[in-house]
Amino acid sequence: MLSDARTAGRTIGFVPTMGALHDGHLSLVRRARAECDVVVLSIFVNPLQFDLKDDLERYPRPFDADTELAAGAGVDVMFAPSSDEMFPENELLTTVRVAGLADVLEGASRPGHFDGVCTVVTKLFSVVGECRAYFGEKDWQQLTIVKQMTADLSLPAQVIACPIVRDADGLALSSRNVQLTAVDRAAALSLNRALHEGVEAIAQGCRDVDEIRRAMTRELTAEPLIQLDYADVVDDQLRVAERIEGDLRLLVAARVGTPRLIDNMGVTV
Ligand code: AMP
């Protein structure tokens, strides 16, 4: 069906997700809808990218609600393969690995995570074929890695970055937010506050990377319900910034009650 559409000159927009759709996912669908003729959404809770079995089991899977949301947002083709369909032999002998970029930040905390992401995204790109593929800046490291991998392997996708969608109080939307109790949710706002602290420090003229990291860390450690994983400032290759100049990303990750949450903000100095 997709190759017929392409032969007829129609463009394909592809939005890969793990389901439990929220407005962040739907913002990608809306962008694809506006820019492409056919919109494909995949839902696959990719077991290869979970380092913790519990996290995989707890991951929400509201399939009927997702189907309705996808149809309402204008998805033409929904692709929700089972693990058996994705991995018919049950064991893959091939892994796609982006050296370096996959080992820091999230990769350091979740060994093998990005190998799982890259292997499955490569497979999805190869199933969908030539397309514009929409990814959220919410997963900044993933976006950086997928762009690198797509260029390195000449995969037939053009990767498009979409801005982070947040709740009115600043919490970045995430499928894992449903696991937050009301108290944890309030504590989770400190991720966003920490990023604002960092951005504000830079806006005020601070050029000391350690000082900015400390400002973010202070905000997060002041919240007793948060277990901080990292708060860092990196350049466009995810290297810890040595100087505050150019395009930088402030990134935070923390466990809040059960789920582990991530968030980020960009600054250009
Ligand atoms: P996931 O289902 O968590 O794997 O996410 C699927 C896609 O949606 C990824 O490209 C994410 O970066 C993107 N996404 C998730 N949450 C948000 C958000 N709050 N704003 C923008 N994009 C998002």
Side-chain angles (χ1 to χ4, degrees):
M1 183 220 168
L2 295 181
S3 44
D4 288 351
R6 263 186 297 265
T7 309
R10 306 180 79 204
T11 55
I12 313 293
F14 176 40
V15 181
T17 78
M18 298 206 298
L21 300 180
H22 51 63
D23 211 44
H25 299 114
L26 298 181
S27 72
L28 312 190
V29 171
R30 284 192 286 267
R31 175 98 179 260
R33 185 69 283 162
E35 296 178 354
C36 308
D37 297 317
V38 179
V39 177
V40 181
L41 174 95
S42 68
I43 295 183
F44 181 59
V45 183
N46 170 18
L48 301 183
Q49 74 181 69
F50 284 81
D51 50 319
L52 301 174
K53 195 162 162 274
D54 271 9
D55 188 26
L56 174 61
E57 279 165 8
R58 261 197 312 268
Y59 204 82
R61 293 167 173 83
F63 189 72
D64 292 343
D66 281 353
T67 312
E68 237 172 80
L69 284 170
V75 167
D76 297 302
V77 178
M78 191 159 125
F79 177 53
S82 64
S83 271
D84 288 348
E85 268 176 281
M86 282 297 273
F87 315 123
E89 301 301 327
N90 211 13
E91 193 186 358
L92 289 186
L93 300 181
T94 304
T95 296
V96 180
R97 170 166 182 69
V98 178
L101 295 181
D103 301 322
V104 296
L105 302 163
E106 287 301 285
S109 298
R110 308 178 64 190
H113 169 68
F114 287 115
D115 297 358
V117 170
C118 288
T119 304
V120 161
V121 170
T122 302
K123 212 166 150 83
L124 291 170
F125 281 177
S126 119
V127 170
V128 172
E130 194 180 332
C131 64
R132 286 164 68 87
Y134 295 83
F135 286 81
E137 291 185 352
K138 161 78 177 13
D139 298 275
W140 182 259
Q141 185 173 8
Q142 169 175 282
L143 172 65
T144 307
I145 289 173
V146 168
K147 276 189 192 158
Q148 180 77 39
M149 168 186 91
T150 304
D152 286 356
L153 301 180
S154 305
L155 298 177
Q158 187 189 343
V159 176
I160 317 276
C162 303
I164 301 176
V165 177
R166 301 175 178 282
D167 271 332
D169 56 11
L171 185 68
L173 299 190
S174 163
S175 302
R176 290 188 171 86
N177 289 354
V178 296
Q179 298 169 11
L180 293 167
T181 63
V183 175
D184 290 340
R185 195 188 174 292
L189 294 176
S190 63
L191 273 80
N192 185 251
R193 279 201 304 271
L195 293 168
H196 276 294
E197 285 287 324
V199 169
E200 186 54 25
I202 294 171
Q204 295 295 321
C206 177
R207 295 292 178 266
D208 179 341
V209 179
D210 285 335
E211 179 50 39
I212 293 158
R213 202 182 290 119
R214 274 198 299 274
M216 292 195 288
T217 303
R218 234 183 347 258
E219 186 66 41
L220 287 158
T221 49
E223 176 50 70
L225 295 176
I226 293 259
Q227 256 176 281
L228 174 62
D229 188 349
Y230 59 77
D232 238 318
V233 189
V234 301
D235 66 12
D236 59 356
Q237 282 299 300
L238 306 176
R239 290 177 294 236
V240 173
E242 286 177 7
R243 276 180 297 281
I244 299 298
E245 66 180 25
D247 289 332
L248 300 171
R249 271 286 142 174
L250 280 56
L251 297 152
V252 292
R255 192 167 293 284
V256 191
T258 311
R260 184 171 172 287
L261 303 180
I262 55 174
D263 200 353
N264 70 84
M265 264 179 211
V267 279
T268 301
V269 181

